[in-house]
Amino acid sequence: MSLYRHSCLEPCVVSVIIISFLPKVTYTHSLSHALHSPQQHTQVGHGGHYHSQSPEAYLTHTPGLCVVMPRGPRSAKGLLLSAAKCKDPVIFLEPKILYRSAVEDVPDEPYTIPLGKAEILRTGSDVTVVGWGGQLRVLEKACQLAFDQFGIECELIDLRTLLPWDTETVVESVNKTGKLVVSHEAPITCGFGAEVVSRVQEECFLSLEAPLKRVCGYDTPFPLVFEKYYVPDELKNLEAIKEVVEYAR
């Protein structure tokens, strides 16, 4: 965890790498059975239970915070510089997987990316796909597969900021496509994707052509050795995209 502060009187930016420790007290109790049950011992190893969580929803339940999660080095620099200038306290979440997998050219000169503003990474008219953080790498692959295999044109949106999140951009897109898929690694129940689909349901009800779809982690302890089955990969998201588009036909 890194702490950035303009002065002792101004709000700070907390850059969180090992966020999994944030809900450790409650999570430890919820895992106590799984950790000590003989039937579950194969899923424990390498600290996976505490280093693989995505509890961003914990933070978005705190009014007054600004919660940010970049998808790569270029967006990380712009968002972090904006966070440093923000007068509100900012939680800057850094997906650990990006340290090993994300490679981008980052300009040397300072630049900022506005907080609370989503980015449309790919335009399309068939379905809106929303994500944030490291999940954007997965969704970009899913959207390309959808186009290559089925001719489906996805509009891919990176929220970038979860609190406050850019409702306007998402609503405008869903009003155009009539369909929505939201994906994140966190468990599906009470994940931030639930907030997105709830707001879209309220704002876009008369424009919807298919049920809103969430593609998320399961409501189970994170199984490190079975990570590839737990994490919503591009194939799971491709299936969801295909499902909502076919429903509307």
Side-chain angles (χ1 to χ4, degrees), residues 180-230:
L180 173 67
V181 174
V182 183
S183 183
H184 56 68
E185 291 185 8
I188 188 169
T189 299
C190 295
F192 193 74
E195 163 64 20
V196 176
V197 299
S198 176
R199 184 66 64 87
V200 168
Q201 179 77 8
E202 294 174 358
E203 301 289 339
C204 307
F205 183 75
L206 297 179
S207 300
L208 295 179
E209 300 174 4
L212 307 178
K213 189 76 173 177
R214 288 179 291 162
V215 186
C216 311
Y218 299 115
D219 292 331
T220 67
F222 192 98
L224 184 65
V225 296
F226 298 133
E227 179 176 330
K228 64 180 180 179
Y229 303 113
Y230 178 92

mmCIF file of all heavy atoms in Angstrom, residues 180-230:
data_model
loop_
_atom_site.group_PDB
_atom_site.id
_atom_site.type_symbol
_atom_site.label_atom_id
_atom_site.label_comp_id
_atom_site.label_asym_id
_atom_site.label_seq_id
_atom_site.Cartn_x
_atom_site.Cartn_y
_atom_site.Cartn_z
ATOM 1 N N LEU A 180 -26.886 -5.565 -22.495
ATOM 2 C CA LEU A 180 -25.752 -5.267 -21.622
ATOM 3 C C LEU A 180 -25.156 -6.539 -21.034
ATOM 4 O O LEU A 180 -25.882 -7.411 -20.546
ATOM 5 C CB LEU A 180 -26.192 -4.345 -20.470
ATOM 6 C CG LEU A 180 -25.142 -4.078 -19.376
ATOM 7 C CD1 LEU A 180 -23.985 -3.260 -19.936
ATOM 8 C CD2 LEU A 180 -25.774 -3.369 -18.187
ATOM 9 N N VAL A 181 -23.830 -6.616 -21.069
ATOM 10 C CA VAL A 181 -23.063 -7.648 -20.370
ATOM 11 C C VAL A 181 -22.049 -6.934 -19.483
ATOM 12 O O VAL A 181 -21.291 -6.087 -19.964
ATOM 13 C CB VAL A 181 -22.339 -8.589 -21.350
ATOM 14 C CG1 VAL A 181 -21.427 -9.553 -20.588
ATOM 15 C CG2 VAL A 181 -23.338 -9.373 -22.188
ATOM 16 N N VAL A 182 -22.041 -7.256 -18.187
ATOM 17 C CA VAL A 182 -21.073 -6.691 -17.251
ATOM 18 C C VAL A 182 -20.232 -7.838 -16.696
ATOM 19 O O VAL A 182 -20.769 -8.886 -16.321
ATOM 20 C CB VAL A 182 -21.772 -5.960 -16.086
ATOM 21 C CG1 VAL A 182 -20.736 -5.319 -15.155
ATOM 22 C CG2 VAL A 182 -22.724 -4.896 -16.607
ATOM 23 N N SER A 183 -18.921 -7.626 -16.625
ATOM 24 C CA SER A 183 -18.047 -8.705 -16.170
ATOM 25 C C SER A 183 -17.010 -8.193 -15.181
ATOM 26 O O SER A 183 -16.419 -7.131 -15.375
ATOM 27 C CB SER A 183 -17.336 -9.351 -17.366
ATOM 28 O OG SER A 183 -16.537 -10.444 -16.960
ATOM 29 N N HIS A 184 -16.808 -8.962 -14.094
ATOM 30 C CA HIS A 184 -15.728 -8.666 -13.150
ATOM 31 C C HIS A 184 -15.316 -9.945 -12.447
ATOM 32 O O HIS A 184 -16.050 -10.929 -12.426
ATOM 33 C CB HIS A 184 -16.135 -7.587 -12.142
ATOM 34 C CG HIS A 184 -17.379 -7.880 -11.352
ATOM 35 N ND1 HIS A 184 -17.466 -8.877 -10.403
ATOM 36 C CD2 HIS A 184 -18.607 -7.283 -11.376
ATOM 37 C CE1 HIS A 184 -18.671 -8.872 -9.856
ATOM 38 N NE2 HIS A 184 -19.393 -7.920 -10.439
ATOM 39 N N GLU A 185 -14.123 -9.933 -11.835
ATOM 40 C CA GLU A 185 -13.597 -11.121 -11.172
ATOM 41 C C GLU A 185 -14.228 -11.365 -9.807
ATOM 42 O O GLU A 185 -14.217 -12.491 -9.316
ATOM 43 C CB GLU A 185 -12.078 -11.001 -11.001
ATOM 44 C CG GLU A 185 -11.301 -11.078 -12.305
ATOM 45 C CD GLU A 185 -9.802 -11.077 -12.065
ATOM 46 O OE1 GLU A 185 -9.393 -11.175 -10.887
ATOM 47 O OE2 GLU A 185 -9.045 -10.966 -13.037
ATOM 48 N N ALA A 186 -14.739 -10.337 -9.168
ATOM 49 C CA ALA A 186 -15.308 -10.469 -7.833
ATOM 50 C C ALA A 186 -16.541 -11.380 -7.861
ATOM 51 O O ALA A 186 -17.176 -11.546 -8.913
ATOM 52 C CB ALA A 186 -15.686 -9.099 -7.286
ATOM 53 N N PRO A 187 -16.905 -11.968 -6.716
ATOM 54 C CA PRO A 187 -18.108 -12.803 -6.664
ATOM 55 C C PRO A 187 -19.334 -12.056 -7.170
ATOM 56 O O PRO A 187 -19.455 -10.839 -7.005
ATOM 57 C CB PRO A 187 -18.242 -13.133 -5.174
ATOM 58 C CG PRO A 187 -16.841 -13.084 -4.662
ATOM 59 C CD PRO A 187 -16.184 -11.971 -5.430
ATOM 60 N N ILE A 188 -20.252 -12.778 -7.755
ATOM 61 C CA ILE A 188 -21.391 -12.153 -8.413
ATOM 62 C C ILE A 188 -22.352 -11.489 -7.433
ATOM 63 O O ILE A 188 -22.872 -10.407 -7.706
ATOM 64 C CB ILE A 188 -22.137 -13.188 -9.292
ATOM 65 C CG1 ILE A 188 -23.216 -12.499 -10.138
ATOM 66 C CG2 ILE A 188 -22.716 -14.315 -8.444
ATOM 67 C CD1 ILE A 188 -23.807 -13.399 -11.213
ATOM 68 N N THR A 189 -22.569 -12.094 -6.259
ATOM 69 C CA THR A 189 -23.530 -11.546 -5.306
ATOM 70 C C THR A 189 -23.009 -10.251 -4.697
ATOM 71 O O THR A 189 -21.935 -10.228 -4.092
ATOM 72 C CB THR A 189 -23.823 -12.561 -4.192
ATOM 73 O OG1 THR A 189 -24.390 -13.740 -4.766
ATOM 74 C CG2 THR A 189 -24.802 -11.983 -3.169
ATOM 75 N N CYS A 190 -23.759 -9.179 -4.877
ATOM 76 C CA CYS A 190 -23.407 -7.851 -4.360
ATOM 77 C C CYS A 190 -22.121 -7.304 -4.947
ATOM 78 O O CYS A 190 -21.539 -6.363 -4.400
ATOM 79 C CB CYS A 190 -23.327 -7.851 -2.834
ATOM 80 S SG CYS A 190 -24.900 -8.177 -2.034
ATOM 81 N N GLY A 191 -21.658 -7.870 -6.058
ATOM 82 C CA GLY A 191 -20.515 -7.282 -6.751
ATOM 83 C C GLY A 191 -20.920 -5.959 -7.376
ATOM 84 O O GLY A 191 -22.110 -5.647 -7.496
ATOM 85 N N PHE A 192 -19.937 -5.156 -7.804
ATOM 86 C CA PHE A 192 -20.279 -3.845 -8.344
ATOM 87 C C PHE A 192 -21.089 -3.945 -9.636
ATOM 88 O O PHE A 192 -21.823 -3.026 -9.996
ATOM 89 C CB PHE A 192 -19.012 -3.015 -8.595
ATOM 90 C CG PHE A 192 -19.302 -1.569 -8.853
ATOM 91 C CD1 PHE A 192 -19.674 -0.732 -7.812
ATOM 92 C CD2 PHE A 192 -19.252 -1.050 -10.132
ATOM 93 C CE1 PHE A 192 -19.976 0.597 -8.049
ATOM 94 C CE2 PHE A 192 -19.533 0.273 -10.378
ATOM 95 C CZ PHE A 192 -19.898 1.106 -9.333
ATOM 96 N N GLY A 193 -20.979 -5.071 -10.310
ATOM 97 C CA GLY A 193 -21.792 -5.266 -11.506
ATOM 98 C C GLY A 193 -23.279 -5.197 -11.209
ATOM 99 O O GLY A 193 -24.082 -4.809 -12.070
ATOM 100 N N ALA A 194 -23.679 -5.568 -9.980
ATOM 101 C CA ALA A 194 -25.094 -5.494 -9.603
ATOM 102 C C ALA A 194 -25.576 -4.052 -9.593
ATOM 103 O O ALA A 194 -26.721 -3.762 -9.961
ATOM 104 C CB ALA A 194 -25.303 -6.133 -8.225
ATOM 105 N N GLU A 195 -24.708 -3.128 -9.170
ATOM 106 C CA GLU A 195 -25.054 -1.707 -9.197
ATOM 107 C C GLU A 195 -25.236 -1.224 -10.626
ATOM 108 O O GLU A 195 -26.169 -0.477 -10.931
ATOM 109 C CB GLU A 195 -23.960 -0.895 -8.501
ATOM 110 C CG GLU A 195 -23.965 0.597 -8.792
ATOM 111 C CD GLU A 195 -25.222 1.302 -8.297
ATOM 112 O OE1 GLU A 195 -25.915 0.756 -7.416
ATOM 113 O OE2 GLU A 195 -25.500 2.410 -8.794
ATOM 114 N N VAL A 196 -24.364 -1.674 -11.512
ATOM 115 C CA VAL A 196 -24.444 -1.254 -12.908
ATOM 116 C C VAL A 196 -25.738 -1.735 -13.550
ATOM 117 O O VAL A 196 -26.474 -0.949 -14.173
ATOM 118 C CB VAL A 196 -23.226 -1.760 -13.707
ATOM 119 C CG1 VAL A 196 -23.363 -1.410 -15.191
ATOM 120 C CG2 VAL A 196 -21.931 -1.172 -13.143
ATOM 121 N N VAL A 197 -26.065 -3.024 -13.393
ATOM 122 C CA VAL A 197 -27.265 -3.546 -14.043
ATOM 123 C C VAL A 197 -28.531 -2.962 -13.409
ATOM 124 O O VAL A 197 -29.541 -2.749 -14.094
ATOM 125 C CB VAL A 197 -27.304 -5.088 -14.018
ATOM 126 C CG1 VAL A 197 -26.118 -5.661 -14.763
ATOM 127 C CG2 VAL A 197 -27.358 -5.632 -12.603
ATOM 128 N N SER A 198 -28.503 -2.690 -12.122
ATOM 129 C CA SER A 198 -29.661 -2.096 -11.463
ATOM 130 C C SER A 198 -29.951 -0.699 -12.010
ATOM 131 O O SER A 198 -31.097 -0.351 -12.310
ATOM 132 C CB SER A 198 -29.431 -2.031 -9.948
ATOM 133 O OG SER A 198 -30.507 -1.381 -9.302
ATOM 134 N N ARG A 199 -28.892 0.107 -12.124
ATOM 135 C CA ARG A 199 -29.091 1.459 -12.652
ATOM 136 C C ARG A 199 -29.535 1.433 -14.108
ATOM 137 O O ARG A 199 -30.401 2.212 -14.519
ATOM 138 C CB ARG A 199 -27.786 2.247 -12.515
ATOM 139 C CG ARG A 199 -27.894 3.707 -12.947
ATOM 140 C CD ARG A 199 -28.817 4.496 -12.035
ATOM 141 N NE ARG A 199 -28.260 4.539 -10.693
ATOM 142 C CZ ARG A 199 -27.385 5.476 -10.294
ATOM 143 N NH1 ARG A 199 -26.993 6.418 -11.133
ATOM 144 N NH2 ARG A 199 -26.931 5.456 -9.054
ATOM 145 N N VAL A 200 -28.952 0.536 -14.901
ATOM 146 C CA VAL A 200 -29.338 0.430 -16.298
ATOM 147 C C VAL A 200 -30.793 -0.016 -16.421
ATOM 148 O O VAL A 200 -31.545 0.475 -17.280
ATOM 149 C CB VAL A 200 -28.396 -0.543 -17.041
ATOM 150 C CG1 VAL A 200 -28.956 -0.900 -18.421
ATOM 151 C CG2 VAL A 200 -27.012 0.072 -17.176
ATOM 152 N N GLN A 201 -31.219 -0.925 -15.569
ATOM 153 C CA GLN A 201 -32.613 -1.370 -15.572
ATOM 154 C C GLN A 201 -33.555 -0.206 -15.322
ATOM 155 O O GLN A 201 -34.608 -0.085 -15.958
ATOM 156 C CB GLN A 201 -32.812 -2.449 -14.501
ATOM 157 C CG GLN A 201 -34.232 -2.990 -14.388
ATOM 158 C CD GLN A 201 -34.576 -3.970 -15.492
ATOM 159 O OE1 GLN A 201 -33.704 -4.373 -16.263
ATOM 160 N NE2 GLN A 201 -35.827 -4.375 -15.569
ATOM 161 N N GLU A 202 -33.172 0.676 -14.412
ATOM 162 C CA GLU A 202 -34.006 1.840 -14.103
ATOM 163 C C GLU A 202 -34.029 2.843 -15.247
ATOM 164 O O GLU A 202 -35.083 3.406 -15.574
ATOM 165 C CB GLU A 202 -33.488 2.526 -12.840
ATOM 166 C CG GLU A 202 -33.623 1.708 -11.574
ATOM 167 C CD GLU A 202 -32.963 2.387 -10.386
ATOM 168 O OE1 GLU A 202 -32.380 3.480 -10.578
ATOM 169 O OE2 GLU A 202 -33.012 1.833 -9.274
ATOM 170 N N GLU A 203 -32.862 3.094 -15.843
ATOM 171 C CA GLU A 203 -32.733 4.166 -16.827
ATOM 172 C C GLU A 203 -33.063 3.741 -18.259
ATOM 173 O O GLU A 203 -33.409 4.584 -19.082
ATOM 174 C CB GLU A 203 -31.302 4.724 -16.790
ATOM 175 C CG GLU A 203 -30.860 5.273 -15.448
ATOM 176 C CD GLU A 203 -31.547 6.574 -15.095
ATOM 177 O OE1 GLU A 203 -32.039 7.260 -16.018
ATOM 178 O OE2 GLU A 203 -31.604 6.909 -13.889
ATOM 179 N N CYS A 204 -32.940 2.443 -18.552
ATOM 180 C CA CYS A 204 -33.049 1.991 -19.946
ATOM 181 C C CYS A 204 -34.155 0.956 -20.157
ATOM 182 O O CYS A 204 -34.146 0.256 -21.174
ATOM 183 C CB CYS A 204 -31.717 1.394 -20.410
ATOM 184 S SG CYS A 204 -30.282 2.436 -20.181
ATOM 185 N N PHE A 205 -35.073 0.832 -19.232
ATOM 186 C CA PHE A 205 -36.053 -0.257 -19.263
ATOM 187 C C PHE A 205 -36.770 -0.372 -20.606
ATOM 188 O O PHE A 205 -36.919 -1.465 -21.164
ATOM 189 C CB PHE A 205 -37.075 -0.079 -18.147
ATOM 190 C CG PHE A 205 -38.080 -1.185 -18.059
ATOM 191 C CD1 PHE A 205 -37.735 -2.418 -17.527
ATOM 192 C CD2 PHE A 205 -39.375 -1.006 -18.531
ATOM 193 C CE1 PHE A 205 -38.659 -3.444 -17.460
ATOM 194 C CE2 PHE A 205 -40.305 -2.020 -18.467
ATOM 195 C CZ PHE A 205 -39.948 -3.246 -17.931
ATOM 196 N N LEU A 206 -37.227 0.731 -21.151
ATOM 197 C CA LEU A 206 -38.003 0.704 -22.391
ATOM 198 C C LEU A 206 -37.138 0.439 -23.624
ATOM 199 O O LEU A 206 -37.676 0.188 -24.711
ATOM 200 C CB LEU A 206 -38.768 2.022 -22.564
ATOM 201 C CG LEU A 206 -39.822 2.313 -21.489
ATOM 202 C CD1 LEU A 206 -40.508 3.650 -21.748
ATOM 203 C CD2 LEU A 206 -40.854 1.189 -21.420
ATOM 204 N N SER A 207 -35.824 0.490 -23.460
ATOM 205 C CA SER A 207 -34.924 0.235 -24.590
ATOM 206 C C SER A 207 -34.353 -1.176 -24.593
ATOM 207 O O SER A 207 -33.731 -1.585 -25.577
ATOM 208 C CB SER A 207 -33.755 1.236 -24.569
ATOM 209 O OG SER A 207 -34.216 2.572 -24.655
ATOM 210 N N LEU A 208 -34.568 -1.918 -23.511
ATOM 211 C CA LEU A 208 -33.939 -3.226 -23.385
ATOM 212 C C LEU A 208 -34.583 -4.263 -24.303
ATOM 213 O O LEU A 208 -35.804 -4.341 -24.411
ATOM 214 C CB LEU A 208 -34.010 -3.706 -21.936
ATOM 215 C CG LEU A 208 -33.232 -2.874 -20.918
ATOM 216 C CD1 LEU A 208 -33.421 -3.443 -19.522
ATOM 217 C CD2 LEU A 208 -31.759 -2.819 -21.287
ATOM 218 N N GLU A 209 -33.735 -5.071 -24.929
ATOM 219 C CA GLU A 209 -34.183 -6.123 -25.837
ATOM 220 C C GLU A 209 -33.880 -7.517 -25.295
ATOM 221 O O GLU A 209 -34.303 -8.514 -25.892
ATOM 222 C CB GLU A 209 -33.502 -5.950 -27.199
ATOM 223 C CG GLU A 209 -33.797 -4.599 -27.867
ATOM 224 C CD GLU A 209 -32.992 -4.413 -29.138
ATOM 225 O OE1 GLU A 209 -32.266 -5.359 -29.526
ATOM 226 O OE2 GLU A 209 -33.084 -3.335 -29.737
ATOM 227 N N ALA A 210 -33.130 -7.599 -24.203
ATOM 228 C CA ALA A 210 -32.751 -8.884 -23.624
ATOM 229 C C ALA A 210 -32.451 -8.691 -22.141
ATOM 230 O O ALA A 210 -32.160 -7.573 -21.701
ATOM 231 C CB ALA A 210 -31.517 -9.450 -24.340
ATOM 232 N N PRO A 211 -32.533 -9.764 -21.341
ATOM 233 C CA PRO A 211 -32.165 -9.642 -19.928
ATOM 234 C C PRO A 211 -30.714 -9.186 -19.777
ATOM 235 O O PRO A 211 -29.848 -9.554 -20.569
ATOM 236 C CB PRO A 211 -32.340 -11.074 -19.396
ATOM 237 C CG PRO A 211 -33.287 -11.722 -20.348
ATOM 238 C CD PRO A 211 -33.004 -11.119 -21.690
ATOM 239 N N LEU A 212 -30.459 -8.376 -18.759
ATOM 240 C CA LEU A 212 -29.103 -7.925 -18.487
ATOM 241 C C LEU A 212 -28.286 -9.094 -17.938
ATOM 242 O O LEU A 212 -28.782 -9.905 -17.154
ATOM 243 C CB LEU A 212 -29.130 -6.777 -17.481
ATOM 244 C CG LEU A 212 -30.051 -5.604 -17.867
ATOM 245 C CD1 LEU A 212 -30.038 -4.538 -16.789
ATOM 246 C CD2 LEU A 212 -29.643 -5.015 -19.211
ATOM 247 N N LYS A 213 -27.027 -9.174 -18.323
ATOM 248 C CA LYS A 213 -26.205 -10.340 -18.012
ATOM 249 C C LYS A 213 -24.961 -9.943 -17.234
ATOM 250 O O LYS A 213 -24.268 -8.997 -17.601
ATOM 251 C CB LYS A 213 -25.795 -11.035 -19.316
ATOM 252 C CG LYS A 213 -25.123 -12.384 -19.138
ATOM 253 C CD LYS A 213 -26.130 -13.458 -18.780
ATOM 254 C CE LYS A 213 -25.487 -14.834 -18.768
ATOM 255 N NZ LYS A 213 -26.440 -15.885 -18.361
ATOM 256 N N ARG A 214 -24.694 -10.680 -16.138
ATOM 257 C CA ARG A 214 -23.448 -10.513 -15.392
ATOM 258 C C ARG A 214 -22.599 -11.771 -15.543
ATOM 259 O O ARG A 214 -23.104 -12.888 -15.394
ATOM 260 C CB ARG A 214 -23.725 -10.271 -13.908
ATOM 261 C CG ARG A 214 -24.303 -8.903 -13.601
ATOM 262 C CD ARG A 214 -24.577 -8.757 -12.112
ATOM 263 N NE ARG A 214 -25.690 -9.608 -11.678
ATOM 264 C CZ ARG A 214 -25.923 -9.943 -10.414
ATOM 265 N NH1 ARG A 214 -25.092 -9.536 -9.456
ATOM 266 N NH2 ARG A 214 -26.954 -10.701 -10.104
ATOM 267 N N VAL A 215 -21.312 -11.575 -15.824
ATOM 268 C CA VAL A 215 -20.358 -12.683 -15.922
ATOM 269 C C VAL A 215 -19.270 -12.400 -14.895
ATOM 270 O O VAL A 215 -18.420 -11.532 -15.096
ATOM 271 C CB VAL A 215 -19.753 -12.796 -17.335
ATOM 272 C CG1 VAL A 215 -18.887 -14.047 -17.440
ATOM 273 C CG2 VAL A 215 -20.846 -12.807 -18.392
ATOM 274 N N CYS A 216 -19.300 -13.124 -13.784
ATOM 275 C CA CYS A 216 -18.472 -12.768 -12.626
ATOM 276 C C CYS A 216 -17.860 -14.010 -11.988
ATOM 277 O O CYS A 216 -18.070 -15.135 -12.444
ATOM 278 C CB CYS A 216 -19.324 -12.026 -11.585
ATOM 279 S SG CYS A 216 -20.327 -10.677 -12.262
ATOM 280 N N GLY A 217 -17.118 -13.780 -10.896
ATOM 281 C CA GLY A 217 -16.610 -14.890 -10.116
ATOM 282 C C GLY A 217 -17.738 -15.579 -9.374
ATOM 283 O O GLY A 217 -18.841 -15.038 -9.248
ATOM 284 N N TYR A 218 -17.460 -16.764 -8.878
ATOM 285 C CA TYR A 218 -18.475 -17.520 -8.149
ATOM 286 C C TYR A 218 -18.526 -17.088 -6.680
ATOM 287 O O TYR A 218 -17.589 -16.483 -6.152
ATOM 288 C CB TYR A 218 -18.178 -19.014 -8.230
ATOM 289 C CG TYR A 218 -18.183 -19.565 -9.637
ATOM 290 C CD1 TYR A 218 -17.025 -20.071 -10.222
ATOM 291 C CD2 TYR A 218 -19.353 -19.578 -10.385
ATOM 292 C CE1 TYR A 218 -17.022 -20.571 -11.509
ATOM 293 C CE2 TYR A 218 -19.364 -20.075 -11.674
ATOM 294 C CZ TYR A 218 -18.200 -20.572 -12.236
ATOM 295 O OH TYR A 218 -18.208 -21.073 -13.516
ATOM 296 N N ASP A 219 -19.613 -17.422 -6.016
ATOM 297 C CA ASP A 219 -19.757 -17.126 -4.590
ATOM 298 C C ASP A 219 -19.095 -18.220 -3.766
ATOM 299 O O ASP A 219 -19.735 -18.936 -2.991
ATOM 300 C CB ASP A 219 -21.247 -16.994 -4.226
ATOM 301 C CG ASP A 219 -21.880 -15.763 -4.846
ATOM 302 O OD1 ASP A 219 -21.161 -14.771 -5.052
ATOM 303 O OD2 ASP A 219 -23.087 -15.803 -5.128
ATOM 304 N N THR A 220 -17.807 -18.372 -3.969
ATOM 305 C CA THR A 220 -17.017 -19.375 -3.246
ATOM 306 C C THR A 220 -15.674 -18.758 -2.872
ATOM 307 O O THR A 220 -15.268 -17.752 -3.451
ATOM 308 C CB THR A 220 -16.749 -20.620 -4.109
ATOM 309 O OG1 THR A 220 -15.872 -20.247 -5.197
ATOM 310 C CG2 THR A 220 -18.029 -21.194 -4.661
ATOM 311 N N PRO A 221 -14.967 -19.361 -1.915
ATOM 312 C CA PRO A 221 -13.577 -18.939 -1.691
ATOM 313 C C PRO A 221 -12.784 -19.078 -2.979
ATOM 314 O O PRO A 221 -13.013 -20.009 -3.759
ATOM 315 C CB PRO A 221 -13.081 -19.903 -0.614
ATOM 316 C CG PRO A 221 -14.321 -20.356 0.085
ATOM 317 C CD PRO A 221 -15.391 -20.404 -0.965
ATOM 318 N N PHE A 222 -11.855 -18.166 -3.202
ATOM 319 C CA PHE A 222 -11.062 -18.202 -4.433
ATOM 320 C C PHE A 222 -10.176 -19.447 -4.449
ATOM 321 O O PHE A 222 -9.312 -19.600 -3.586
ATOM 322 C CB PHE A 222 -10.197 -16.947 -4.541
ATOM 323 C CG PHE A 222 -9.578 -16.762 -5.898
ATOM 324 C CD1 PHE A 222 -10.160 -15.916 -6.810
ATOM 325 C CD2 PHE A 222 -8.435 -17.462 -6.253
ATOM 326 C CE1 PHE A 222 -9.594 -15.742 -8.070
ATOM 327 C CE2 PHE A 222 -7.875 -17.308 -7.504
ATOM 328 C CZ PHE A 222 -8.452 -16.436 -8.412
ATOM 329 N N PRO A 223 -10.362 -20.360 -5.403
ATOM 330 C CA PRO A 223 -9.577 -21.598 -5.446
ATOM 331 C C PRO A 223 -8.337 -21.404 -6.319
ATOM 332 O O PRO A 223 -8.407 -21.474 -7.538
ATOM 333 C CB PRO A 223 -10.551 -22.588 -6.091
ATOM 334 C CG PRO A 223 -11.386 -21.725 -6.999
ATOM 335 C CD PRO A 223 -11.426 -20.342 -6.410
ATOM 336 N N LEU A 224 -7.193 -21.180 -5.716
ATOM 337 C CA LEU A 224 -6.001 -20.815 -6.472
ATOM 338 C C LEU A 224 -5.658 -21.831 -7.553
ATOM 339 O O LEU A 224 -5.397 -21.469 -8.698
ATOM 340 C CB LEU A 224 -4.821 -20.634 -5.523
ATOM 341 C CG LEU A 224 -3.528 -20.155 -6.192
ATOM 342 C CD1 LEU A 224 -3.703 -18.753 -6.750
ATOM 343 C CD2 LEU A 224 -2.359 -20.211 -5.226
ATOM 344 N N VAL A 225 -5.659 -23.119 -7.210
ATOM 345 C CA VAL A 225 -5.263 -24.122 -8.186
ATOM 346 C C VAL A 225 -6.316 -24.309 -9.283
ATOM 347 O O VAL A 225 -6.028 -24.886 -10.331
ATOM 348 C CB VAL A 225 -4.967 -25.477 -7.518
ATOM 349 C CG1 VAL A 225 -3.778 -25.363 -6.587
ATOM 350 C CG2 VAL A 225 -6.181 -26.002 -6.765
ATOM 351 N N PHE A 226 -7.532 -23.826 -9.036
ATOM 352 C CA PHE A 226 -8.594 -23.896 -10.042
ATOM 353 C C PHE A 226 -8.959 -22.501 -10.550
ATOM 354 O O PHE A 226 -10.090 -22.245 -10.942
ATOM 355 C CB PHE A 226 -9.836 -24.571 -9.452
ATOM 356 C CG PHE A 226 -9.594 -25.987 -9.014
ATOM 357 C CD1 PHE A 226 -10.026 -26.425 -7.781
ATOM 358 C CD2 PHE A 226 -8.933 -26.883 -9.836
ATOM 359 C CE1 PHE A 226 -9.801 -27.734 -7.366
ATOM 360 C CE2 PHE A 226 -8.704 -28.190 -9.444
ATOM 361 C CZ PHE A 226 -9.139 -28.617 -8.200
ATOM 362 N N GLU A 227 -7.977 -21.616 -10.557
ATOM 363 C CA GLU A 227 -8.228 -20.227 -10.944
ATOM 364 C C GLU A 227 -8.834 -20.117 -12.334
ATOM 365 O O GLU A 227 -9.716 -19.304 -12.590
ATOM 366 C CB GLU A 227 -6.922 -19.441 -10.879
ATOM 367 C CG GLU A 227 -7.057 -17.982 -11.285
ATOM 368 C CD GLU A 227 -5.761 -17.224 -11.104
ATOM 369 O OE1 GLU A 227 -4.977 -17.591 -10.209
ATOM 370 O OE2 GLU A 227 -5.534 -16.265 -11.851
ATOM 371 N N LYS A 228 -8.371 -20.950 -13.262
ATOM 372 C CA LYS A 228 -8.852 -20.842 -14.643
ATOM 373 C C LYS A 228 -10.340 -21.179 -14.749
ATOM 374 O O LYS A 228 -10.993 -20.795 -15.718
ATOM 375 C CB LYS A 228 -8.034 -21.737 -15.567
ATOM 376 C CG LYS A 228 -8.148 -23.227 -15.280
ATOM 377 C CD LYS A 228 -7.296 -24.026 -16.258
ATOM 378 C CE LYS A 228 -7.389 -25.520 -16.001
ATOM 379 N NZ LYS A 228 -6.568 -26.294 -16.962
ATOM 380 N N TYR A 229 -10.876 -21.928 -13.770
ATOM 381 C CA TYR A 229 -12.303 -22.228 -13.785
ATOM 382 C C TYR A 229 -13.109 -21.153 -13.070
ATOM 383 O O TYR A 229 -14.287 -20.961 -13.360
ATOM 384 C CB TYR A 229 -12.563 -23.584 -13.114
ATOM 385 C CG TYR A 229 -11.799 -24.720 -13.746
ATOM 386 C CD1 TYR A 229 -10.790 -25.379 -13.047
ATOM 387 C CD2 TYR A 229 -12.077 -25.131 -15.047
ATOM 388 C CE1 TYR A 229 -10.083 -26.419 -13.626
ATOM 389 C CE2 TYR A 229 -11.370 -26.170 -15.638
ATOM 390 C CZ TYR A 229 -10.374 -26.805 -14.926
ATOM 391 O OH TYR A 229 -9.677 -27.817 -15.506
ATOM 392 N N TYR A 230 -12.484 -20.486 -12.125
ATOM 393 C CA TYR A 230 -13.177 -19.475 -11.320
ATOM 394 C C TYR A 230 -13.271 -18.128 -12.044
ATOM 395 O O TYR A 230 -14.335 -17.506 -12.076
ATOM 396 C CB TYR A 230 -12.442 -19.291 -9.992
ATOM 397 C CG TYR A 230 -13.034 -18.236 -9.089
ATOM 398 C CD1 TYR A 230 -13.985 -18.568 -8.123
ATOM 399 C CD2 TYR A 230 -12.646 -16.904 -9.183
ATOM 400 C CE1 TYR A 230 -14.535 -17.610 -7.287
ATOM 401 C CE2 TYR A 230 -13.188 -15.935 -8.363
ATOM 402 C CZ TYR A 230 -14.132 -16.289 -7.408
ATOM 403 O OH TYR A 230 -14.670 -15.327 -6.605
#
